[in-house]
Amino acid sequence: MSSRINKAERRYRFEFLTAMTLYGIVLFGAKLLARDVEPGLLLTMLALAPQVPVALACIAFLRFFFAADERERRLIADAAAISLLVGIFAALTLGFLHSFGVFYFEWDMLWFGPFLIAMWGATRCILLLRG
Amino acid sequence: MENRLKELRAQMKLSQGDLAEKLDVSRQTVNSLERGKYDPSLPLAFKIAKVFGQPIESIFTPDEREIEA
């Protein structure tokens, strides 16, 4: 492997794991602190605090994406396109079921990000296995 | 697209890792190229041609279906 790409992968793993560890800590801390806080600016800041490590993880991923070679970028992009279509299909399915009164999916939208990431990861693995 | 990458790499006594280093790509990419699973972009094809000191068309041969109008 090219030493530059090897280095970029190591840096990505470190930055992503650091961001995810921070995410766990910040989410736990924000939930704990928000218990007795009235709605307002402070509660809004606490609610959005976990987005900071998420943004750090996104930056780490983008750095990795632009450091990757063309085949890896192609795999990532193909997997992202397929995941986006599956995500749109899933969202529309739940939307139609809701609007026709068949079923109401009561969860908030927090599931959608991890769902897309899981779809993207699985699709990338399938594409990798295909060659 | 067919190519002579594996043959040329063997002639130069390079490992896949060595070639990956010269091309600034991952070893997996070299492996995919050799197995014809991935077709390189034009800039990468030129880089490959430069490493082996041969013109692109002597390294890569398109399938007949690919060049039919």
Side-chain angles (χ1 to χ4, degrees):
Chain A
M1 179 172 299
S2 152
S3 50
R4 185 189 61 80
I5 293 175
N6 208 3
K7 196 175 160 191
E9 272 194 12
R10 278 204 308 270
R11 187 182 63 200
Y12 168 61
R13 261 185 243 122
F14 172 76
E15 288 178 351
F16 189 80
L17 279 176
T18 307
M20 286 298 96
T21 308
L22 268 175
Y23 174 76
I25 295 167
V26 171
L27 182 62
F28 178 76
K31 282 265 186 194
L32 202 69
L33 291 171
R35 270 193 216 157
D36 303 317
V37 178
E38 296 292 318
L41 182 64
L42 180 60
L43 188 62
T44 306
M45 286 170 71
L46 285 170
L48 295 178
Q51 288 290 67
V52 175
V54 170
L56 292 175
C58 291
I59 291 168
F61 174 75
L62 281 177
R63 278 158 62 109
F64 169 69
F65 180 76
F66 290 114
D69 68 29
E70 59 178 49
R71 177 186 142 276
E72 182 69 32
R73 275 210 294 267
R74 167 83 184 270
L75 275 173
I76 292 170
D78 285 357
I82 293 168
S83 309
L84 179 67
L85 290 177
V86 174
I88 290 169
F89 194 80
L92 284 174
T93 301
L94 294 174
F96 283 130
L97 289 173
H98 180 199
S99 69
F100 279 76
V102 180
F103 169 74
Y104 181 46
F105 194 70
E106 288 195 42
W107 285 15
D108 48 42
M109 286 304 288
L110 275 177
W111 64 275
F112 197 65
F115 171 75
L116 281 183
I117 292 169
M119 271 306 306
W120 172 77
T123 312
R124 189 164 164 247
C125 284
I126 293 167
L127 293 176
L128 263 173
L129 287 173
R130 286 181 59 196
Chain B
M1 186 148 55
E2 289 178 11
N3 66 72
R4 296 171 52 225
L5 233 60
K6 196 171 182 178
E7 172 200 331
L8 294 169
R9 180 172 64 78
Q11 279 174 15
M12 286 182 73
K13 294 185 172 53
L14 293 172
S15 68
Q16 285 189 342
D18 296 333
L19 183 57
E21 189 70 47
K22 284 180 185 290
L23 298 173
D24 194 27
V25 298
S26 67
R27 193 196 55 74
Q28 290 89 336
T29 295
V30 171
N31 188 36
S32 289
L33 286 165
E34 286 186 356
R35 290 188 298 134
K37 293 279 185 185
Y38 175 70
D39 291 336
S41 67
L42 205 49
L44 181 56
F46 272 110
K47 220 183 226 186
I48 292 167
K50 194 176 175 187
V51 167
F52 293 120
Q54 300 206 17
I56 290 176
E57 60 270 26
S58 80
I59 303 174
F60 296 98
T61 315
D63 293 336
E64 283 305 312
R65 281 171 301 162
E66 289 175 336
I67 52 174
E68 276 173 14

